[in-house]
Amino acid sequence: MIDLTITGDDVAHVVLNAPKKRNALDPQALAELSAAYDEAEAAGVRALVLRGEGPAFCAGRDIGGVDPATDDVTGYLDGLVTPLLKKMSAFPAPTFAAAHGACLGVGLGLLIATDVVYVADTAKIGSPFAALGATLDSGGHALFFDRLGAHKTLDLIYTGRLMTGAEAVQSGLFSQVLPEDEVRAATEAAASRAAGGATQAFLASKRLVARLRDERLALWDAVAAENANQTALRDTADYREGFAAFQQKRKPEFTGR
């Protein structure tokens, strides 16, 4: 279900590989996905790409065979999904996702927990739960409210209408929209460039953006955090290399240290 490869440019490639069920996630798949992130972190990769095989990125939870009368919703969401999303969000390297087709439910949550998301023009993003008598989960409310406001968020939830990839990017949900046959290559190229960059500096920005999101830092608190980051980065090899390369008018060779 979940494939992991690590390429020579120190990029981990995590692939949801159950195309016949549109990469819907059952408990076993969630455990495998969590293990893939653990393995990639242990390998010390400098970037990570997440994508899905087949016609969809991820259609959400695999509810085939689930009895709604005895469904352990808490065990699935609190016990499996939320810990995974937190692990993904805190992954100690830049992360990228290539999304196409259905990106729904937990699948949308995987994208929310990824640093940079490139979506295909064929992507379908929204809240399909109206037809299930259930509600949007995996961080969807927070993302939609923050980027779309209350009215459009509730319109999407009440109607079940799905946004295209272009509409999602225009609304500020994700980074770029691309033709479906280009999104994977573009995402992998971006990850490879990041892996060759000053990844300690990237991680400083990643942590600060998380604080801006979660703590809603005021302007001067954010400036103070930036200043502290810059001071800490001064002692890294990449900081010294970047300055030396600029002064010597050559391309820097960053090592992530």
Side-chain angles (χ1 to χ4, degrees):
M1 168 65 188
I2 308 298
D3 298 331
L4 170 67
T5 59
I6 298 174
T7 49
D9 54 358
D10 289 329
V11 177
H13 297 258
V14 179
V15 182
L16 311 179
N17 194 7
K20 290 184 178 179
K21 58 178 184 179
R22 299 194 300 166
N23 298 317
L25 297 168
D26 60 16
Q28 180 180 343
L30 290 171
E32 291 178 9
L33 186 54
S34 181
Y37 274 73
D38 287 340
E39 185 176 344
E41 179 175 353
V45 299
R46 295 177 63 191
L48 180 147
V49 172
L50 175 67
R51 65 177 183 85
E53 282 287 352
F57 170 71
C58 177
R61 182 185 182 188
D62 183 0
I63 60 172
V66 173
D67 182 351
T70 59
D71 182 18
D72 183 8
V73 176
T74 299
Y76 182 81
L77 292 175
D78 287 340
L80 297 174
V81 173
T82 300
L84 171 63
L85 298 182
K86 288 180 177 179
K87 176 183 293 186
M88 292 173 61
S89 183
F91 189 78
T95 60
F96 298 78
H100 70 289
C103 310
L104 304 171
V106 181
L108 176 61
L110 300 183
L111 300 183
I112 295 170
T114 301
D115 297 341
V116 177
V117 178
Y118 294 166
V119 295
D121 48 10
T122 59
K124 300 296 182 184
I125 297 159
S127 176
F129 294 93
L132 295 173
T135 189
L136 184 61
D137 57 37
S138 303
H141 282 86
L143 176 71
F144 289 168
F145 178 77
D146 185 59
R147 309 294 170 81
L148 306 176
H151 294 288
K152 192 164 185 178
T153 294
L154 291 175
D155 181 35
L156 289 171
I157 290 170
Y158 293 169
T159 65
R161 184 180 70 83
L162 301 181
M163 293 183 288
T164 65
E167 184 181 356
V169 170
Q170 290 166 1
S171 298
L173 297 182
F174 301 119
S175 303
Q176 292 188 41
V177 61
L178 296 157
E180 183 171 327
D181 60 357
E182 297 178 15
V183 68
R184 174 182 171 182
T187 307
E188 291 177 344
S192 183
R193 287 192 299 272
T199 46
Q200 290 302 315
F202 295 157
L203 287 176
S205 291
K206 176 173 179 168
R207 290 188 291 266
L208 179 52
V209 167
R211 290 188 63 195
L212 289 164
R213 177 196 65 209
D214 297 338
E215 301 173 30
R216 302 295 178 179
L217 294 180
L219 172 61
W220 300 116
D221 292 330
V223 169
E226 290 172 338
N227 296 346
N229 284 342
Q230 203 75 292
T231 299
L233 289 167
R234 178 196 58 195
D235 296 327
T236 65
D238 281 346
Y239 189 96
R240 294 189 292 272
E241 167 63 10
F243 272 66
F246 179 84
Q247 292 162 354
Q248 297 165 16
K249 296 180 172 57
R250 61 174 174 82
K251 183 178 179 180
E253 296 182 8
F254 293 122
T255 61
R257 295 191 293 272

